[in-house]
Amino acid sequence: MTRGIQKPLPTPPPGRQTSRTRDRNKFEALPSLKVAAIASFKTTPIVTAKDIRIIRPVTGLCCDCLPISKKDLLPDLVKENGVCNILNVKPYLRNAGWLQKQFPVTAYCLQKRAYHQYPDISMSVFVNNRLLEAIQKTSIVSYSQTFKVGGKDIQQIQTSIVLTAKKTLQRMKACISSSLINFTGWFLLNFLSIFLNNILVHRGQMSMIRSAAEKKIPMIYLPLHRSHLDYILITFILCHYELRAPFVAAGDNLDIPFFNSLMRGLGGFFIRRRLDKKSGEKDIVYRTLLHTYLEELLKHNEGLEFFIEGGRSRSGKTNLPKGGLLSIITESCSKGLIPDAYIVPVSISYDKLIDGNFYREQMGLPKITENFWRALKGIFNVLIGDYGSVRVDFCQPFSMKEFITRHQVTNKVDENVLVLVDSSPEIAPVKVASYPCLRQAPCSTPDEDRLIVQYLAEHVLNTAITSTSLMSTNLVCFLLLTKHRSGTRISEITNSLEQLVREIRQVGRDIGFCGDMRDVVHTALTLLGTKLILVEPNPADEEDLCLKPNLELPYVFELMYYGNAVLYVYLLESVVTVAVMYLTKSNISCSEDQESRETTKEEIIFTSEEICRLLQQEFIFVPPCKSLQKELSEVIESFKLGEILYQDEQYDNEQYDYHEKQWSKSLSDSLSWADDYDDDDEDVVHVQEEKYKVNVNRKHIRDRLRFLMSIIAPTLESYLTTATYINLHLKTETAEEDFMLRLNSFSKSLVSDYKLIYNESCAMDSLKTCVKSFQKLGILDSCTAGNLRIIGLSEIFDVKDRLMHYIRLLEVINTIN
Ligand SMILES: O=P(O)(O)OC[C@H](O)CO
């Protein structure tokens, strides 16, 4: 690949400056968007009359499946509120004098009166019956194991377990302090301003959080996890609004000297990444301790925060939810230990990755564990950089009780199984549960409680995804990897950006920036740097530089990371496009006249569902309260409206004849005296199934199809590589870790041989998800032997046929080139 000449971006002309100061005031500085929402002052106390807001869509409102919550917490003024930058404290200063104006941050922090009491619940945990029972049970098991070899007596064992449990709780628990929170709030206002331009929150969303917090039931904040900074951001924002800080679950990888004490003081409690013992044995005491700790916090009406995805996303896509901690809350609620809880999905969008890129891990190298010095180095690196803005979206809180009640009534286990008969003759019919039970292993019978936790987790994640504000870097990278992969010019990408923003707004999503689109492109390019986007001079126009995404490893992983946030806007359209291309065998790379094969709506839905099933570990396609079929059907209708799909003339004529015949028949029926029941069977005309072709002969439609397909094509290529590797190289059972490394090397070798269309498809994270999907689909079998996970080809008789079927389906991505 030829590298372009890398040169710094030219300074934008005056008025287009992208300096930090100007960025900070960008939201207040755009006359066309300014609205003085004087009425909304009533909902936010510490604001001055000079405060100016910009109207933004309120994203993250409750789903229609939760009508009570939706109505309860929706203030009338919510739509009038805009976003605000909480790093800019000046509008919040009351009667500011000279001194306050010189030290606004200190003055602002001193005028706050947010002192809350946080309980120490250690005693309640230790007198809880569940924990006492677990200790007793473990002592008995341990005694019976050591009895024969003359071990300790049961009393000694019990004492040692109690001591260990006390130490564990001591390491786990938070020691939250209101004074420390307030001091850290002051420190962060100064510190974050060094490398961030804005921390944007939506006033409407915050007023909903405030109303919910007043109801005195636990608030459960469930943010998407993008950065270690997420831990403090939510507490920082809630502190700004004088709300109680939640207790935040943190992985014990962050239990590092100094930072651990700080995190505990701010509400962090540390939990093990693996709840069970290294041997794979269940650690009952630890599990019970964690369960009881959370339960006691809930009983004390304390708020909680945890990352429903587990770790941070490495790919920019949202990881599927983990239900462990959530199940404790649902259980507490359904057992009546707490009257209710408010669930608050939260999403955090960063202009630029703060923790650094994930190159190492995506290249297949192990993660470097965190320690004190690395943390310091990380902070130092951050301080010397510019990280743009952060937008935090708090979705409308909803009642857990309402969710449980509604889903107990409406979402029983879906027993309707679809019999999916593959179009290729060599594969036998497969029985799978219909969506939303798509993610369960076939034949599994999960109890209803588990199912509710899964629904809740998926619902939360779906809401968080759809309320994520998309940043300029997300949009620019997305466009460079889809529409302009082979390069473009600033003017061209600016036009694409305008169109993309329009489409994002049409689906009710928000963006985390505003202003002239050319400025936005400049800002994004500056933040991303010339390593990711190569900038070359344009001989035809000096101002209009040429841009080229750096598709080499590992840089392409970072581009993919940013771009993947936008993928969800077009997810179902992209799936349907792939299905249509597969069924009609059309070729979008070929411009000359071509005849597309016919397909039906039923076939398109069927194949789309199959693709969704294949990608079940990758995406939540629809929230559990919606029907996937219905959503797919709507996409197909939109394709018909957009003339991507059409019925050819012959079919039209047949339909016309049919309707003519029907019309004349009804006319003659109405005119005749004949008996209504005297129908002649020969006259019955059967409705023909509608047949469609793809309009590949029109350039703009080919471009649209190429664009839509290129959105999930890199993901599909990871699956194709994995399926091919399994088919060629997986002969015997092997350790999963080794298998992953070999698969990753195989995939990287394809990149070196220029055999992949999308270099980013070899990312380790994507390959891991593919392997997980093939396990769920019954292609791969896995088991645990001690500490080791073993993987092998499944023993079902038609496993190779199934694999080949997937390979044929996935090969559709080759038509893009
Ligand atoms: O993304 P990870 O795996 O480094 O984990 C991040 C979590 O915040 C750990 O608590």
Side-chain angles (χ1 to χ4, degrees):
M1 186 174 295
T2 46
R3 246 172 213 269
I5 305 160
Q6 294 183 11
K7 69 173 223 174
L9 289 168
T11 320
R16 283 199 177 149
Q17 287 289 341
T18 52
S19 77
R20 182 171 294 187
T21 335
R22 210 223 44 186
D23 270 358
R24 193 166 295 162
N25 298 322
K26 200 184 260 179
F27 283 85
E28 282 89 11
L30 289 157
S32 58
L33 292 168
K34 275 181 189 174
V35 280
I38 293 157
S40 58
F41 293 162
K42 288 170 206 151
T43 60
T44 41
I46 345 167
V47 283
T48 68
K50 283 181 189 159
D51 200 20
I52 302 292
R53 292 97 198 258
I54 297 161
I55 290 185
R56 315 288 296 197
V58 189
T59 52
L61 291 182
C62 270
C63 173
D64 290 336
C65 72
L66 299 163
I68 301 173
S69 302
K70 188 167 185 168
K71 203 169 145 231
D72 251 17
L73 293 172
L74 193 64
D76 293 341
L77 289 168
V78 78
K79 287 184 182 101
E80 290 176 47
N81 288 311
V83 290
C84 68
N85 170 20
I86 62 165
L87 290 181
N88 180 16
V89 294
K90 284 187 185 154
Y92 301 96
L93 285 177
R94 284 181 290 225
N95 314 318
W98 181 86
L99 200 60
Q100 281 96 330
K101 280 183 188 153
Q102 300 313 304
F103 303 99
V105 170
T106 310
Y108 164 74
C109 291
L110 287 175
Q111 80 181 16
K112 272 178 166 305
R113 281 179 220 98
Y115 284 92
H116 300 285
Q117 292 290 329
Y118 297 93
D120 183 353
I121 51 149
S122 313
M123 271 317 284
S124 332
V125 173
F126 264 96
V127 295
N128 188 297
N129 277 342
R130 185 192 283 111
L131 184 65
L132 298 177
E133 272 168 30
I135 291 175
Q136 206 167 12
K137 214 169 147 187
T138 315
S139 317
I140 294 167
V141 173
S142 174
Y143 177 69
S144 62
Q145 281 168 352
T146 54
F147 173 68
K148 287 177 207 144
V149 287
K152 299 176 191 169
D153 68 42
I154 192 149
Q155 200 59 45
Q156 284 173 314
I157 291 175
Q158 201 160 326
T159 315
S160 110
I161 294 176
V162 170
L163 272 178
T164 318
K166 273 188 181 161
K167 274 190 205 156
T168 311
L169 182 64
Q170 212 57 35
R171 264 193 90 173
M172 178 194 287
K173 71 172 192 175
C175 299
I176 196 163
S177 143
S178 212
S179 314
L180 183 68
I181 291 179
N182 287 338
F183 172 76
T184 313
W186 169 83
F187 173 77
L188 288 177
L189 274 172
N190 292 295
F191 172 77
L192 295 175
S193 314
I194 301 173
F195 60 95
L196 289 175
N197 297 327
N198 306 287
I199 295 180
L200 302 166
V201 292
H202 195 290
R203 288 172 197 273
Q205 291 175 345
M206 293 319 296
S207 67
M208 291 192 286
I209 300 293
R210 194 194 293 275
S211 315
E214 279 165 9
K215 306 233 168 156
K216 303 276 177 254
I217 54 171
M219 300 284 288
I220 315 294
Y221 300 97
L222 301 174
L224 297 182
H225 200 5
R226 296 291 170 265
S227 159
H228 287 317
L229 192 63
D230 300 347
Y231 282 108
I232 44 175
L233 265 186
I234 293 178
T235 304
F236 175 62
I237 294 168
L238 294 176
C239 163
H240 175 89
Y241 285 91
E242 301 186 0
L243 295 168
R244 278 183 90 79
F247 284 72
V248 190
D252 60 357
N253 53 327
L254 298 182
D255 192 355
I256 42 183
F258 176 72
F259 295 100
N260 52 8
S261 309
L262 184 67
M263 281 176 78
R264 282 196 183 97
L266 299 176
F269 62 94
F270 292 96
I271 54 174
R272 295 206 304 240
R273 301 301 292 271
R274 275 177 68 132
L275 293 190
D276 295 324
K277 295 176 187 163
K278 278 189 181 153
S279 58
E281 201 187 327
K282 273 207 165 152
D283 191 340
I284 299 172
V285 175
Y286 186 79
R287 282 172 175 263
T288 315
L289 204 59
L290 178 59
H291 190 124
T292 316
Y293 182 66
L294 291 183
E295 199 178 275
E296 287 301 325
L297 286 175
L298 291 171
K299 282 201 226 160
H300 282 78
N301 266 346
E302 292 303 328
L304 292 178
E305 176 191 326
F306 52 87
F307 299 103
I308 198 163
E309 298 167 275
R312 292 162 297 163
S313 163
R314 267 51 175 173
S315 61
K317 286 181 203 155
T318 302
N319 297 332
L320 284 196
K322 308 227 178 331
L325 296 184
L326 202 55
S327 67
I328 299 175
I329 301 160
T330 43
E331 194 191 305
S332 306
C333 198
S334 45
K335 279 190 177 165
L337 297 175
I338 50 168
D340 199 354
Y342 270 126
I343 304 292
V344 189
V346 183
S347 82
I348 309 176
S349 317
Y350 294 88
D351 255 343
K352 189 170 173 181
L353 258 169
I354 289 180
D355 309 345
N357 48 58
F358 294 105
Y359 289 171
R360 268 184 64 89
E361 290 171 62
Q362 293 294 42
M363 289 295 279
L365 295 168
K367 180 192 166 188
I368 297 178
T369 44
E370 294 84 357
N371 66 28
F372 177 75
W373 296 111
R374 281 196 198 108
L376 273 194
K377 198 175 149 211
I379 292 172
F380 177 75
N381 286 340
V382 164
L383 286 178
I384 55 172
D386 181 359
Y387 289 83
S389 302
V390 179
R391 165 87 184 253
V392 185
D393 284 280
F394 287 81
C395 301
Q396 186 178 16
F398 65 85
S399 145
M400 171 165 274
K401 209 168 174 182
E402 188 188 8
F403 189 93
I404 295 175
T405 318
R406 291 207 171 261
H407 289 77
Q408 261 166 355
V409 178
T410 57
N411 272 336
K412 295 279 178 201
V413 179
D414 187 353
E415 278 153 5
N416 303 328
V417 287
L418 288 178
V419 180
L420 301 181
V421 187
D422 184 12
S423 43
S424 55
E426 64 265 50
I427 185 158
V430 188
K431 274 191 175 185
V432 282
S434 68
Y435 205 85
C437 302
L438 209 66
R439 229 162 262 116
Q440 294 152 21
C443 311
S444 73
T445 51
D447 57 38
E448 200 163 294
D449 289 346
R450 269 185 53 200
L451 204 59
I452 283 179
V453 175
Q454 187 191 330
Y455 283 170
L456 177 61
E458 290 187 6
H459 208 290
V460 165
L461 218 58
N462 188 75
T463 312
I465 292 169
T466 49
S467 66
T468 303
S469 299
L470 298 166
M471 312 304 275
S472 59
T473 43
N474 297 133
L475 269 52
V476 167
C477 290
F478 175 76
L479 286 171
L480 285 171
L481 289 181
T482 52
K483 265 191 188 163
H484 305 292
R485 218 174 154 86
S486 54
T488 181
R489 285 170 294 115
I490 297 245
S491 57
E492 209 178 349
I493 199 166
T494 306
N495 290 339
S496 304
L497 189 66
E498 275 165 8
Q499 190 192 340
L500 183 57
V501 169
R502 270 197 302 277
E503 289 180 2
I504 288 170
R505 287 217 184 271
Q506 268 165 20
V507 293
R509 299 276 306 263
D510 197 9
I511 47 168
F513 55 88
C514 65
D516 181 83
M517 287 302 152
R518 212 177 152 96
D519 288 352
V520 172
V521 172
H522 269 283
T523 310
L525 293 177
T526 314
L527 285 167
L528 292 165
T530 45
K531 268 190 186 157
L532 295 190
I533 299 166
L534 313 174
V535 184
E536 297 169 10
N538 178 1
D541 183 352
E542 263 182 34
E543 285 274 291
D544 200 12
L545 294 171
C546 295
L547 307 174
K548 212 166 183 211
N550 189 347
L551 302 177
E552 284 177 18
L553 299 185
Y555 305 104
V556 70
F557 295 140
E558 199 170 338
L559 288 171
M560 169 188 81
Y561 180 95
Y562 290 112
N564 273 345
V566 189
L567 177 156
Y568 296 90
V569 175
Y570 298 97
L571 186 56
L572 283 185
E573 279 180 89
S574 188
V575 168
V576 171
T577 307
V578 173
V580 164
M581 298 307 287
Y582 171 72
L583 291 166
T584 59
K585 309 279 176 241
S586 316
N587 193 344
I588 31 180
S589 58
C590 173
S591 56
E592 67 265 20
D593 279 359
Q594 51 171 310
E595 190 62 13
S596 134
R597 283 196 204 175
E598 281 180 335
T599 185
T600 63
K601 187 169 177 177
E602 209 176 22
E603 280 174 341
I604 302 173
I605 291 181
F606 177 85
T607 309
S608 303
E609 280 186 316
E610 197 170 12
I611 296 167
C612 293
R613 205 163 5 260
L614 180 64
L615 304 182
Q616 60 180 281
Q617 296 301 310
E618 212 67 58
F619 306 109
I620 293 167
F621 292 93
V622 286
C625 57
K626 287 203 172 127
S627 144
L628 177 65
Q629 282 194 6
K630 203 166 155 228
E631 298 292 312
L632 290 170
S633 168
E634 275 172 24
V635 174
I636 296 170
E637 290 307 313
S638 76
F639 276 22
K640 278 155 66 179
L641 272 176
E643 295 181 6
I644 292 177
L645 290 175
Y646 71 101
Q647 293 169 351
D648 74 359
E649 266 172 36
Q650 187 197 344
Y651 175 80
D652 276 355
N653 292 340
E654 282 169 17
Q655 287 291 297
Y656 180 78
D657 290 347
Y658 164 71
H659 289 299
E660 278 285 288
K661 212 167 175 181
Q662 285 293 86
W663 182 80
S664 48
K665 182 175 177 290
S666 57
L667 186 72
S668 63
D669 282 353
S670 61
L671 294 175
S672 83
W673 291 98
D675 189 350
D676 279 353
Y677 300 100
D678 194 18
D679 268 353
D680 189 349
D681 274 354
E682 281 172 25
D683 284 347
V684 175
V685 183
H686 295 286
V687 182
Q688 228 185 315
E689 200 178 10
E690 294 186 352
K691 293 223 166 80
Y692 298 101
K693 287 183 175 180
V694 195
N695 214 342
V696 268
N697 289 323
R698 284 159 73 176
K699 185 175 176 306
H700 76 275
I701 287 181
R702 272 205 312 278
D703 288 346
R704 184 73 184 168
L705 288 170
R706 187 178 296 111
F707 164 67
L708 288 175
M709 201 163 155
S710 65
I711 293 166
I712 57 161
T715 308
L716 295 179
E717 192 170 55
S718 301
Y719 281 77
L720 182 57
T721 308
T722 308
T724 312
Y725 183 77
I726 294 172
N727 192 34
L728 295 176
H729 302 290
L730 187 62
K731 306 284 178 225
T732 54
E733 287 183 345
T734 167
E736 188 169 333
E737 216 177 305
D738 286 349
F739 175 80
M740 283 315 311
L741 289 175
R742 276 187 270 125
L743 171 60
N744 187 238
S745 308
F746 171 73
S747 185
K748 284 188 286 190
S749 72
L750 294 181
V751 174
S752 330
D753 298 343
Y754 301 100
K755 285 189 179 149
L756 289 186
I757 309 173
Y758 302 99
N759 287 353
E760 61 269 38
S761 70
C762 77
M764 188 58 148
D765 186 67
S766 312
L767 298 174
K768 278 185 183 165
T769 316
C770 297
V771 170
K772 212 192 281 176
S773 290
F774 283 122
Q775 286 177 22
K776 296 278 177 194
L777 289 165
I779 302 287
L780 293 175
D781 260 349
S782 65
C783 61
T784 312
N787 219 352
L788 215 61
R789 271 189 73 77
I790 308 287
I791 203 167
L793 205 58
S794 157
E795 283 175 4
I796 47 173
F797 75 99
D798 61 345
V799 65
K800 281 277 178 178
D801 292 340
R802 289 183 187 215
L803 199 57
M804 284 314 295
H805 167 66
Y806 286 125
I807 291 176
R808 272 193 299 278
L809 175 62
L810 292 163
E811 273 170 351
V812 66
I813 60 162
N814 294 330
T815 59
I816 209 163
N817 260 348

